[in-house]
Amino acid sequence: MVSSSHEALHWVFQKDPALLTRAFQSVLRVPFPEPRDFAVLNTDVTEIEPVERRVDTLMRVDTDEGTYLLIVEAQGKQDEGKRGSWPYYLSYLYAKYGWEPVLVVITQNSATARWAAQPIRRGLPGWHSMTVRPLVIGPDNVPVIASEREAERDIPLAVLSAMTHGRGAKAAAILEPLAFALRTVDAESAAVFGQLIESCLADSRAKEIWRDLMSEIRYFFNNPVAEKVREEGRVEGREEGRVEDRAEMTLRILEWRDVPVTDAVRERVLACSDLNQLEAWARRAMTAERAEDLFSG
């Protein structure tokens, strides 16, 4: 059965097709022409024979240099059968559409990423009739975006970061700043991105923290005062709101983790007006054994 994380990993590119070409440039370091237009295509690659084959996500990308087919495959584990089906997808889709196909594999597992990146060669040794070189996006090349400002610059890339690192120890550091950054997009997009991220989180505690963060986001969008500040874009009010929210969130993270918070710690956190300092404390709150550990280092 296809898992929710499998669906989320490739569906995020349907939510924001331009994210895929940005991933070529910033994650894979592979040049790709600037797109003019995108179109999500039917993923069915079944022939007349009763053998059903489907790619995960298929998109047409029009550029000044030509049209490309981007095939996105979410891969949870090593599957040698894919080394037969992936070359088939590329050949069939090229024959069907006549556009150059590009295979992109996305995974949350480093070992699976290394396996998927291995070239697939078909033919005689030393004279291969076909060579397939998948482009692989995974936790080893997707940056950890643990800064709210960095997340705000590219929300979909920050979402991709949270998803690809969702099964690792770095997931928790991404969640809190990303939750604050999601307040800068519309409510519908924030909800969709939130669901995609949750489906990719493996740790039950990380899921719980993310659900609480999403509750805060829903409150933000439904709160008329917060909505007014967001719509009017008042920098001063927004910064003050960030400071207050970040301080409260730091304390809540400790409470979620059942770390006792003394009155002295609470007063010091709530009295701080330095957003950068609060960001550092919030990150430490994810792993601190004592509340006082926020202020060390």
Side-chain angles (χ1 to χ4, degrees), residues 27-290:
V27 175
L28 298 170
R29 308 296 181 186
V30 172
F32 194 89
E34 192 65 28
R36 294 196 316 267
D37 188 30
F38 291 91
V40 178
L41 304 179
N42 190 324
T43 59
D44 193 348
V45 290
T46 306
E47 297 186 76
I48 296 177
E49 298 179 0
V51 179
E52 184 178 354
R53 303 176 190 268
R54 290 183 183 274
V55 300
D56 289 333
T57 285
L58 178 63
M59 292 189 294
R60 187 197 74 226
V61 183
D62 296 325
T63 76
D64 290 334
E65 299 179 20
T67 298
Y68 295 86
L69 286 175
L70 297 185
I71 305 161
V72 184
E73 286 279 282
Q75 196 66 28
K77 60 183 180 180
Q78 299 181 27
D79 180 0
E80 289 302 318
K82 292 292 187 178
R83 300 183 71 79
S85 58
W86 286 341
Y88 168 82
Y89 294 163
L90 295 167
S91 299
Y92 175 82
L93 290 170
Y94 178 76
K96 180 178 181 179
Y97 292 103
W99 300 322
E100 294 295 340
V102 180
L103 174 61
V104 180
V105 179
I106 181 167
T107 181
Q108 295 177 289
N109 184 278
S110 295
T112 302
R114 290 190 294 271
W115 165 81
Q118 297 174 6
I120 303 170
R121 297 185 174 92
R122 295 289 177 261
L124 296 171
W127 190 274
H128 302 117
S129 301
M130 175 187 290
T131 300
V132 175
R133 297 179 60 196
L135 292 165
V136 181
I137 298 173
D140 293 334
N141 58 2
V142 175
V144 175
I145 299 179
S147 162
E148 181 183 340
R149 289 185 175 86
E150 189 177 358
E152 285 182 357
R153 283 197 293 269
D154 194 334
I155 296 288
L157 184 61
V159 170
L160 180 65
S161 176
M163 292 167 64
T164 51
H165 292 284
R167 296 187 178 275
K170 299 176 181 178
I174 302 172
L175 300 182
E176 193 259 354
L178 177 53
F180 282 98
L182 284 178
R183 299 183 180 196
T184 63
V185 302
D186 61 277
E188 182 181 353
S189 293
V192 171
F193 285 140
Q195 291 172 359
L196 293 175
I197 292 167
E198 182 177 339
S199 66
C200 289
L201 295 175
D203 181 70
S204 59
R205 193 58 174 163
K207 278 183 177 287
E208 182 181 348
I209 290 174
W210 183 246
R211 286 168 183 163
D212 286 337
L213 289 168
M214 287 304 296
S215 295
E216 294 289 330
I217 292 174
R218 285 191 290 271
Y219 170 78
F220 174 80
F221 281 110
N222 293 328
N223 184 295
V225 176
E227 182 67 15
K228 183 178 179 181
V229 172
R230 193 173 77 92
E231 288 181 352
E232 293 180 356
R234 295 182 299 192
V235 175
E236 182 180 355
R238 187 164 61 245
E239 286 299 312
E240 290 178 358
R242 282 179 174 176
V243 168
E244 181 179 351
D245 287 344
R246 185 57 55 87
E248 293 178 353
M249 184 59 65
T250 300
L251 297 173
R252 276 197 292 272
I253 290 172
L254 293 173
E255 293 169 356
W256 290 332
R257 298 183 57 241
D258 297 323
V259 176
V261 179
T262 64
D263 290 341
V265 170
R266 185 179 301 277
E267 290 175 5
R268 181 171 176 180
V269 171
L270 293 177
C272 181
S273 59
D274 185 336
L275 186 59
N276 291 330
Q277 180 63 76
L278 288 169
E279 285 181 356
W281 289 348
R283 287 193 293 270
R284 291 174 193 164
M286 294 289 186
T287 57
E289 296 181 1
R290 301 180 309 121

